[in-house]
Amino acid sequence: MNETNASRMEAACSLLAKSERRFLLYQLVDDRRANLEDLVTQVAVWELDIHRTAIDKETRQRVYVSLVHNHLPRLADYDIIDYDLRSGDVVLADGFEDVKPLLEQFRQTEDEPEIRELPPL
């Protein structure tokens, strides 16, 4: 493996090491697009292991800020997603195919049964 491939693999592992980014991508896989508010809700449910109705305003705001200021920009920097904060649209980009096999491996080992039972990527 040359240095370029090794550094891409390290970057992919680093990106997928954070559960919020994996959860966001799991949610995007089916339709290849989602609204930011829906992503915030689903990431909070999986991250905190709570029911949708138990997500309070403070939790929603914390997850939103984390996604907008950290996770979305990092994934966009590697061309894994594209997003528009004005519309709230988040879509998978061409670079997703590069991390898809690794994401599938992560999915199979997640603690949350609902995630492990999702259809293969």
Side-chain angles (χ1 to χ4, degrees):
M1 182 180 296
N2 65 35
E3 190 162 332
T4 303
N5 286 342
S7 62
R8 287 183 60 152
M9 179 60 86
E10 288 174 8
C13 288
S14 176
L15 284 171
L16 297 179
K18 292 292 185 180
S19 59
E20 294 93 333
R21 292 193 276 268
R22 293 192 313 273
F23 295 165
L24 185 147
L25 292 173
Y26 297 144
Q27 188 63 23
L28 283 172
V29 167
D30 280 341
D31 296 330
R32 298 194 63 90
R33 68 177 47 247
N35 183 276
L36 183 56
E37 288 303 316
D38 295 336
L39 290 171
V40 166
T41 300
Q42 190 59 58
V43 167
V45 166
W46 284 336
E47 185 69 21
L48 304 172
D49 195 24
I50 58 176
H51 192 271
R52 290 177 186 278
T53 58
I55 301 171
D56 60 19
K57 189 175 182 178
E58 182 179 308
T59 300
R60 184 174 298 282
Q61 182 66 22
R62 184 185 56 74
V63 172
Y64 175 86
V65 168
S66 176
L67 291 180
V68 168
H69 291 286
N70 183 358
H71 304 299
L72 292 175
R74 286 179 191 258
L75 291 168
D77 285 347
Y78 285 91
D79 192 37
I80 296 170
I81 64 155
D82 289 319
Y83 67 98
D84 181 345
L85 288 180
R86 289 175 295 193
S87 68
D89 291 334
V90 182
V91 298
L92 289 178
D94 293 338
F96 173 71
E97 294 304 317
D98 294 339
V99 298
K100 187 176 175 180
L102 186 58
L103 183 65
E104 176 62 22
Q105 290 179 348
F106 273 101
R107 187 188 65 80
Q108 294 171 13
T109 62
E110 294 288 357
D111 290 337
E112 181 62 47
E114 180 182 345
I115 295 172
R116 288 192 315 271
E117 294 166 5
L118 291 171
L121 304 180

